[in-house]
Amino acid sequence: MSFRLAAAVVLAGFVGVHSASASTGYLARPDVREFIEAMETEHGLDAAELERILGDARHQPVVTRLIGPERPKSATPPVRSYPKYRAKFLTKARIAAGTRFWDVHEADLRRAQAEYGVSPEVILGILGVETAFGQNTGSFRVVDSLTTIAFDGPRRQEYFRDELKELLLMARDLSIDPLKIKGSYAGAMGLPQFMPSSVRKYAVDFDGDGVIDLAGSTSDAIGSIASYLKSFGWADGEPALVPVQLPNGSAADLVTGLERSHEVEALKEKGVRFSVKRLPEGACSVVELPTPGKPSKFVAGFGNFEAITRYNRSTFYATAVLDLANAIREARTQVTASN
């Protein structure tokens, strides 16, 4: 099957594309010329086509501001508040939107669970946090965002240069013009906000129409999220997080954040108390959920939690996804029970 993106609808905001300018300066730069040469030599892309694309790419100062510089190691760490972060996503409006989305797309959600083992509420948690179920998919030209950060960004230039490469390869594979693709300031696209590398590796044509369309097809978005999580080890039916109580004064030694470096039995021997008896197999992390002025809460993160953090390398993000997922499921259950 030949997978391509629908020319008119794929990825949000294709209309109103900027017209080409005389020059943005990128083609005159040696590092950009080296990038073009490497793409031609290593991947067989046409140099003239790459010049057309990168010659039209515009530097976006707002993108560099939003990415922001690396925080100096000597800087005072910012005050972290999980409740404040969580409150941005667990709103009545977003939970209600999630239940409506579930009702409309239940067949696709159930099929994704059957094929990939990812429950509907988890897929909805990601869609809700990422784009409020498609309401906020981004208005930046992806080629502008990625080129700006790749060659002028304050940090992570190598990563974004790789993503620019993946964007150009994706456009070739799917027969689309990369100048017409819009997304976030960091280059994420569609309802699930996939980076170009994720589109190439994990996106699926879930509705079977021969087109991978992460903005125009909710079915493709649902299936692609499930595909992504399954690829990173999602296990059907296993809890992602388990609340724990730590011995007094042990947090500094036991909290590991993203790293699953603890064995459950070893934690129990150190006095850690798990809130449930039946636990997933394998190692776990210990995650702190701080509230300024109050004692922190702690949770143990297992394999499914790690799978979500592969989507976004943040313990706050993954926890908020799961909290929103649970809130949507509870709200839907209440509605069903009252009918």
Side-chain angles (χ1 to χ4, degrees):
M1 179 179 294
S2 175
F3 293 111
R4 56 184 175 78
L5 296 185
V9 298
V10 67
L11 304 173
F14 271 28
V15 296
V17 175
H18 297 294
S19 60
S21 61
S23 174
T24 62
Y26 278 117
L27 289 184
R29 292 175 49 164
D31 51 354
V32 175
R33 303 302 310 189
E34 290 174 6
F35 176 82
I36 290 173
E37 183 178 344
M39 293 297 294
E40 182 182 34
T41 302
E42 298 172 17
H43 301 285
L45 294 182
D46 180 67
E49 175 65 3
L50 292 171
E51 290 175 355
R52 180 188 73 86
I53 296 164
L54 295 177
D56 193 67
R58 290 172 169 78
H59 174 77
Q60 297 290 348
V62 66
V63 168
T64 57
R65 290 199 300 270
L66 289 169
I67 289 292
E70 294 279 6
R71 185 171 62 86
K73 293 182 179 179
S74 60
T76 303
V79 176
R80 301 174 72 240
S81 171
Y82 177 66
K84 182 178 180 180
Y85 180 90
R86 180 182 186 271
K88 294 186 293 183
F89 306 107
L90 270 83
T91 64
K92 290 182 179 179
R94 199 165 301 209
I95 293 168
T99 61
R100 291 193 298 270
F101 193 96
W102 192 335
D103 288 340
V104 173
H105 303 288
E106 182 171 11
D108 285 327
L109 289 164
R110 292 300 179 190
R111 186 160 61 90
Q113 182 174 25
E115 294 189 20
Y116 298 103
V118 182
S119 59
E121 65 267 25
V122 172
I123 296 172
L124 293 172
I126 288 177
L127 284 170
V129 169
E130 289 290 344
T131 61
F133 310 102
Q135 295 181 46
N136 306 311
T137 56
S139 59
F140 292 85
R141 282 204 317 178
V142 171
V143 73
D144 293 338
S145 295
L146 295 180
T147 303
T148 295
I149 308 170
F151 297 104
D152 296 309
R155 60 190 178 95
R156 302 187 71 191
Q157 284 193 3
E158 183 177 351
Y159 168 77
F160 284 100
R161 201 166 295 191
D162 283 342
E163 288 299 335
L164 177 60
K165 176 192 74 175
E166 294 289 337
L167 174 72
L168 296 169
L169 293 173
M170 181 193 82
R172 180 190 66 180
D173 295 345
L174 304 175
S175 301
I176 58 171
D177 185 350
L179 295 175
K180 295 181 178 179
I181 302 173
K182 288 193 176 183
S184 76
Y185 70 87
M189 302 171 287
L191 274 74
Q193 291 291 274
F194 273 21
M195 294 298 287
S197 60
S198 293
V199 174
R200 296 191 73 216
K201 293 177 184 176
Y202 309 112
V204 296
D205 173 25
F206 205 54
D207 59 15
D209 66 352
V211 174
I212 295 177
D213 182 355
L214 297 184
S217 170
T218 54
S219 179
D220 288 358
I222 288 167
S224 295
I225 290 172
S227 167
Y228 186 101
L229 294 177
K230 181 66 175 179
S231 295
F232 284 102
W234 185 273
D236 190 13
E238 289 192 356
L241 286 178
V242 174
V244 294
Q245 291 184 356
L246 306 186
N248 290 336
S250 67
D253 293 327
L254 296 180
V255 170
T256 59
L258 294 169
E259 301 300 322
R260 285 201 300 143
S261 55
H262 290 300
E263 297 297 330
V264 169
E265 291 306 317
L267 287 177
K268 289 181 177 179
E269 290 175 1
K270 293 178 180 180
V272 176
R273 297 170 60 186
F274 291 80
S275 62
V276 298
K277 292 183 178 180
R278 183 180 176 276
L279 298 170
E281 295 183 359
C284 68
S285 59
V286 174
V287 175
E288 182 177 12
L289 301 174
T291 300
K294 296 182 180 180
S296 293
K297 294 182 180 180
F298 299 93
V299 292
F302 291 88
N304 285 352
F305 184 73
E306 182 179 6
I308 298 175
T309 65
R310 296 291 182 176
Y311 209 102
N312 183 315
R313 299 293 285 169
S314 162
T315 57
F316 276 18
Y317 170 88
T319 307
V321 163
L322 292 166
D323 283 351
L324 180 58
N326 291 333
I328 291 170
R329 173 171 279 283
E330 290 174 5
R332 190 168 189 270
T333 300
Q334 291 175 4
V335 170
T336 302
S338 64
N339 290 338

